[in-house]
Each structure stands twice: as structure tokens, then as C-alpha cells.
Amino acid sequence: MAQEAGSLKAQLKEKEKEIAALKNKLAQLEKSHASVPELQDKVTPLSPLTTKPALSNEDIMRYSRQLLLPELGVKGQLNLSRTSVLIVGCGGLGCPLAQYLAAAGIGRLGLLDYDEVELSNLHRQVLHGEENQGQAKALSAARAVKRLNSTVECIPYHLQLSPENAVQLIQQYPNSYIYNVPTRYLVNDACVLSGKPLVSASALRMEGQLTVYNYRGSPCYRCLYPVPPPPETVTNCSDGGVLGVVPGIMGCFQALEVLKIASGQGSSCGQQLLMFDAQGFRFRSIRLRPKQADCAVCGESPSVTQLIDYEAFCGSAATDKCRKLNLLSKDQRITVQEYKSVVDNSGPHILVDVRPTVEVDICHLPFSLNIPLSSLEQRKSEDIRLLQQRIIQLKQQMADDHQPPVYVICKLGNDSQKAVQVLEKMSGSELDSITVKDVCGGLMAWATKIDPAFPQY
Amino acid sequence: MVTAHRLNTYFRFTPPSLPACAKKMAAPVAVHLEFGGGAELLFDGVKEHHVTLPSQPEPWDMKQLLVWIQRNLLKERPELFVQGDSVRPGILVLINDADWELKGELDYQLQDQDNVVFISTLHGG
């Protein structure tokens, strides 16, 4: 009897343990489910941020190391918890920015990005993981931020900032951060019109820049750049390349300035441009002009009083996807399929790859001749001589007296069009007469439509 | 129009009380030029250039420096660097670590050992 009772008691204890574990698991699951932020595809009014009257014991422990700083203190920490920040672009700058703002205990983060996570993002956009490929970047970033600090309210927006939604969105957030050219003017104007400071950074190749615009008498983006740059002079990361840690460093600087503004210390980067040269490891702080009286948006008699069409203003699209040039007529171009049949039929031709050597080292077609576009434009004599030799060889192989065909290829089919124009000018003078065409869509079209084994970058 | 404009600049920076100086040849000016943010790609990827501007009757100003750079340093596609008589939109010019707007822009008279930076704004992230 006693033995049976003992065994039952032991079983009961075991079951109770099991129930407790299950309850715990359920609570965890419910908590994590509740904290998964819902992806927004449009701008909706936000409820006011709940303000804490005081720090909880958990807050004190979590933020203890920064609470010890007299520059921040309890007051600064509470200020952070009452601040909302909109991050426009959850990429190389946005990821570390969001991460450090969340870690430091910012109240609310709006995370905006129209794009999805791709493998080529992961070297610099460090909140996203391999398993997030194909997911909305805003959601992937929000989930990562939530894992880090579940007390931060995250609102992921899977949409593109536009003149229609920008002011409504930005008015709900005190600080923001920006991305490519049309968006820079758009965000700048929206910030000026809503009276918000703009902590702006950029990074490309091995360089970074940072400025706080529209903040305590500092200039706005338009004061500095009243006229947008010609679209062909604007290089993005997928064209120019970027070492991931460079936007990482610049994003951390943005986080620093946002935290200083939000906690009440104020930024010391207004009317200043911080330039970072990662190659020479040099930081430079430049004194900028003050707010300009004749500025079109923040000046004394502004001509921009509401948001305009920024794509028209800048002459380029508001995404940082690659632009497509259209310089040639249809008969000056062939498709990758047409080029494939030239190769398959062993049609005599020369294929000139006009990408820079660093890209040719990544991948190339084995039978191509590499002459970078810049060498063609500068008429580098050794390259021109090489091409001329190949043309002469080809002529000897060809039975008829047709002009030898030269096909030009690059990554996406933009530079190849410029190269066709250069080669056409040289044909019959600096070179023997040739027929030049470019391969539409370049090597990336070759990879997607002809040879799936060919690397994409 | 062009003459009137040049006359303006002349009077603003060469006080009429010093006519004798204006007739003398100004000494050569050594300046340190830097290109960054991608602007260096127009100069064979070379970021720093120590140059000496030759002696000439009037003092060197930024407008003349831009012409000199175009003639002596620019390797390719001048339209990516200059537009009209100034730099193209999107290039920020810094004179001795300050925005050139604070120094008189094109009218700034170069001093020996000045540091002039041409920086293209970056757009990536």
C-alpha cells in the first residue's frame, strides 16, 4: 500500500513537472508570437507611444552600463524609451543602426524597405540571415531586432516611400535615415516640411559620409545640393561595390547621433560632414555652410511647399535597382539567344568583354577578349593593337569579304552599348572596318537565360 | 556678358588702391588637391595630387583652377567633373577643410599650400 502510494506520488510529481514545463513552453510561444511584428503594406496612424514613468528593475539591469554615464543617466534613458525613429532602408546602414538603437532601448522603430533579402545582401546587411532570403527585409529586420530587445516596439513597412505617403509617415517619427538619390531629396523635403532632423549617411566602395540635416540651424540636403547630380554619375552598391564593414561603421555613427539627439544631449554633427576613408583609415570633419536663405525648401521663401515628383526632379528611378540604358537601335543589338546560336554554329566573331578586370576575375566566358570600357574610351594603344590583331586574324579565317562581326558584352548591357558607340567611331579608321553589336542584358542575361551554371553577382 | 562678369570679380578681389601689384606676375602657387567619393576615378584612381600652378599676371582663383585641372589632370569624361564654369552638381568642394561656400566659391583666391578637396556625394548603403 505504502509502496503504491509512494509510486503514485512520484508519478504525480513527475506529471506536475511536465505540466509546468508545458505551461512555460506555451507562455514562451504566446509571448514570441505576440511579439512577431505584423508587416505593414501601407501607412496607418499609430497609437501614441506608451510612456514609462520610471525604469523597471529589469530596465535598470539591462541598461545599467549606459545608465552609469552622466551624459545619459536615467533621464536620457527615459527619453530614449519615449522616442520613435523611422529607418528608411534596412540595408547596410539600416541594419547596424536598428540594432544599436534597439539595444540601447529606443521606444519605437519604424523599419521601412521595399525589397526582399537576397544572398548578395548578407555581407553587409547583418540583421538578415541565410534563412531570411526571399523574405521582406523590413520583417526580417524587425524579427532580428525583437530577438535582441523584445521591449522595443517594431513596425515593419514593406513599401516604397513616395510623395503620397512620406509626410504622413515621417510625422509619426522624430528621426529618420535615408538611401538613394530621389529618396534623399524626398526624405529631406518631408523632414523639412515636418520639422524633423535627418541623420543621413551613405557608404560606397571604401568610403562613407555622414551629416545631420535640418537640425538647429544646420543646412538641409538641398542647401548643400540644390541641383541633383546627373543620373549617370550616381553609382549604387550593386555597380560600385562596397565592403560590408564600411556601411557598418557609418550605420553605427548614425546610431550614435540618433541616440545623442533622442536622449537630449544633442548632435554635434549639424553643419558638419564626416568623411571616412576606410582605405587610408582617415576620418575628416568638414565645416559646412549654414542653412541657406535661398534654399528651395528650408529657405526664407521656399518654392517647394509640398512634396513633388522626385523621379522627374532627379531624372532617375527611386529604387536603387540598376538603370537600363537605351543608346542603340535594335539592329545594333543581339539577344543572348541569338548570340548562343552564333556560338553553337561556330560563327566567326570576336567577343569583347568590356567590364573592369576585377569583374572579369569573378567570371567570364572563356573565349572573350577583355578590354575595359575605360581603355577603349582612352584608346589605350596596347588594347587597341590587340583588338586589331584579332580582327586581322578573323578576316583571314573568313572566306567572304564581309566585315568581321564584333560582339560586345558586359554585366547587364549598359556599358556594352557605350562600347559599341566607341568602336563604331573607330571602325574604318583606328581599326579595320567591323560590324559591332552588343549583347542585350549582358552576362547576367546569359546566366539566367542560357547557362544557369554561370555565376551571378 | 562674360566681360562684365569678369570685371566684377576683378574689382571685388583686387582693391583699386593696389594697381601696381596687379601688373606684377603672381608667384607660382603650390596646392594640394584631393579627389574622393568616386571623383578620383576620373583621375586614374589617384586621390592625392601635389601640384604647382605656374606664375601668371592675376592671382589664381578657383575658377581658373578648375580650368587648369581640366587641361592638366582630367583623364576622361570632363562632363562628369565640370558643368559650365563650376563643378557638376553632386560634387562638394572643400577648401582647407571647409565648405567652399564659406570661402567665396569660384572667386576664392588660392594661397600657397592650400588644400582643395573635390568629393563626390555617395549614395549607397
Side-chain angles (χ1 to χ4, degrees):
Chain A
M1 167 71 192
Q3 202 183 355
E4 204 183 332
S7 145
L8 283 172
K9 272 182 190 165
Q11 276 185 44
L12 206 57
K13 216 171 183 178
E14 198 57 38
K15 295 284 178 201
E16 275 165 2
K17 240 186 184 168
E18 211 173 303
I19 287 171
L22 285 172
K23 275 186 175 166
N24 195 12
K25 211 172 165 185
L26 181 65
Q28 286 283 333
L29 192 73
E30 279 173 346
K31 192 178 166 191
S32 73
H33 189 74
S35 73
V36 168
E38 202 183 325
L39 193 60
Q40 311 282 312
D41 56 6
K42 57 179 185 294
V43 180
T44 47
L46 295 178
S47 58
L49 195 57
T50 44
T51 54
K52 289 183 201 174
L55 297 176
S56 68
N57 285 358
E58 203 182 307
D59 289 338
I60 290 172
M61 182 55 87
R62 177 189 279 258
Y63 305 118
S64 55
R65 300 304 187 264
Q66 66 192 41
L67 285 172
L68 290 172
L69 296 171
E71 293 83 354
L72 188 81
V74 171
K75 190 162 170 269
Q77 189 66 52
L78 285 170
N79 285 342
L80 290 186
S81 73
R82 292 165 191 156
T83 301
S84 329
V85 176
L86 175 66
I87 298 180
V88 182
C90 302
L93 295 155
C95 283
L97 174 56
Q99 190 174 26
Y100 274 100
L101 293 185
I106 206 86
R108 177 184 277 162
L109 276 183
L111 298 161
L112 184 145
D113 207 301
Y114 61 85
D115 218 351
E116 282 89 34
V117 178
E118 289 174 28
L119 189 61
S120 65
N121 300 146
L122 302 186
H123 81 120
R124 68 185 190 284
Q125 307 183 6
V126 291
L127 285 181
H128 315 301
E130 288 172 7
E131 73 280 10
N132 302 117
Q133 287 179 75
Q135 228 175 57
K137 273 188 193 174
L139 187 64
S140 160
R143 285 190 174 137
V145 161
K146 272 286 184 190
R147 269 200 302 279
L148 172 63
N149 190 343
S150 62
T151 67
V152 173
E153 195 187 324
C154 277
I155 304 157
Y157 298 98
H158 186 60
L159 52 88
Q160 196 173 333
L161 206 62
S162 72
E164 290 73 38
N165 62 27
V167 169
Q168 194 198 351
L169 186 60
I170 283 172
Q171 273 172 348
Q172 302 174 1
Y173 296 86
N175 296 299
S176 48
Y177 140 76
I178 45 166
Y179 219 45
N180 59 17
V181 180
T183 321
R184 274 176 206 277
Y185 282 98
L186 167 62
V187 178
N188 177 72
D189 292 359
C191 282
V192 171
L193 296 175
S194 326
K196 314 280 187 195
L198 175 57
V199 180
S200 164
S202 53
L204 189 69
R205 301 189 186 97
M206 296 283 281
E207 283 181 272
Q209 296 171 355
L210 176 122
T211 303
V212 180
Y213 295 109
N214 196 41
Y215 176 74
R216 296 187 183 165
S218 75
C220 80
Y221 190 68
R222 271 186 197 264
C223 292
L224 230 51
Y225 309 106
V227 181
E232 65 273 21
T233 65
V234 177
T235 308
N236 60 24
C237 292
S238 53
D239 285 344
V242 63
L243 193 66
V245 63
V246 178
I249 289 167
M250 300 315 292
C252 287
F253 274 125
Q254 280 184 297
L256 177 64
E257 291 312 298
V258 172
L259 289 174
K260 278 158 64 185
I261 294 172
S263 65
Q265 299 164 58
S267 168
S268 27
C269 215
Q271 218 185 314
Q272 284 207 28
L273 165 69
L274 177 84
M275 302 194 310
F276 173 47
D277 173 1
Q279 188 76 61
F281 204 75
R282 225 157 41 128
F283 286 97
R284 211 177 212 182
S285 192
I286 303 299
R287 196 159 50 90
L288 291 176
R289 66 199 71 180
K291 190 177 155 82
Q292 299 289 286
D294 60 352
C295 174
V297 67
C298 79
E300 280 157 14
S301 45
S303 55
V304 178
T305 52
Q306 57 179 29
L307 298 181
I308 58 170
D309 179 346
Y310 292 88
E311 298 196 359
F313 175 65
C314 294
S316 63
T319 71
D320 64 348
K321 301 290 180 198
C322 292
R323 290 170 301 115
K324 270 205 163 67
L325 287 181
N326 241 326
L327 302 174
L328 304 179
S329 65
K330 222 179 148 201
D331 60 330
Q332 290 172 296
R333 315 195 70 180
I334 60 167
T335 63
V336 280
Q337 290 87 350
E338 285 164 342
Y339 181 67
K340 171 80 165 43
S341 65
V342 170
V343 175
D344 288 348
N345 298 327
S346 314
H349 73 283
I350 300 167
L351 179 68
V352 181
D353 185 333
V354 293
R355 295 172 302 151
T357 317
V358 67
E359 289 184 47
V360 174
D361 287 346
I362 297 172
C363 56
H364 59 271
L365 291 173
F367 36 83
S368 62
L369 170 68
N370 176 220
I371 303 179
L373 176 63
S374 61
S375 303
L376 279 180
E377 283 173 333
Q378 288 172 35
R379 310 284 201 271
K380 283 217 171 129
S381 54
E382 68 261 48
D383 286 318
I384 305 300
R385 211 177 307 128
L386 193 63
L387 181 58
Q388 174 65 8
Q389 277 172 10
R390 293 282 293 269
I391 293 170
I392 293 170
Q393 281 171 12
L394 186 61
K395 261 182 147 175
Q396 289 165 349
Q397 287 167 27
M398 287 170 63
D400 50 31
D401 51 2
H402 279 105
Q403 292 188 352
V406 173
Y407 299 112
V408 184
I409 201 161
C410 64
K411 183 185 174 189
L412 293 163
N414 289 333
D415 277 357
S416 58
Q417 296 182 60
K418 295 181 192 166
V420 166
Q421 291 183 326
V422 176
L423 286 169
E424 278 187 340
K425 271 190 208 137
M426 297 165 76
S427 168
S429 54
E430 293 150 89
L431 293 171
D432 283 7
S433 293
I434 45 174
T435 307
V436 203
K437 291 183 184 189
D438 94 306
V439 182
C440 255
L443 288 165
M444 294 305 101
W446 181 265
T448 49
K449 293 178 183 148
I450 305 294
D451 180 8
F454 195 84
Q456 296 186 45
Y457 64 98
Chain B
M1 273 309 278
V2 173
T3 330
H5 181 72
R6 288 197 61 86
L7 218 60
N8 259 337
T9 4
Y10 179 82
F11 280 124
R12 208 181 307 162
F13 284 96
T14 318
S17 57
L18 295 168
C21 287
K23 280 178 198 148
K24 270 194 212 161
M25 291 289 272
V29 186
V31 287
H32 180 205
L33 304 177
E34 283 180 68
F35 301 92
E40 74 279 7
L41 299 176
L42 303 171
F43 299 89
D44 254 358
V46 181
K47 286 188 171 179
E48 301 195 28
H49 301 250
H50 292 272
V51 304
T52 304
L53 306 171
S55 162
Q56 62 168 27
E58 334 122 56
W60 282 91
D61 62 17
M62 286 299 291
K63 194 189 280 180
Q64 294 163 347
L65 175 66
L66 289 179
V67 175
W68 187 90
I69 288 174
Q70 252 193 99
R71 287 191 186 144
N72 296 282
L73 291 182
L74 203 54
K75 298 283 178 189
E76 50 186 307
R77 294 182 284 177
E79 71 281 6
L80 299 186
F81 186 66
V82 285
Q83 202 173 90
D85 58 5
S86 192
V87 290
R88 68 145 172 90
I91 291 183
L92 196 62
V93 186
L94 313 167
I95 301 170
N96 299 330
D97 278 356
D99 187 347
W100 74 333
E101 199 271 347
L102 300 166
K103 305 259 184 180
E105 297 198 359
L106 288 168
D107 296 331
Y108 173 80
Q109 283 188 7
L110 286 157
Q111 311 294 313
D112 200 44
Q113 303 306 322
D114 269 353
N115 181 284
V116 183
V117 181
F118 297 89
I119 185 117
S120 181
T121 46
L122 303 177
H123 299 287

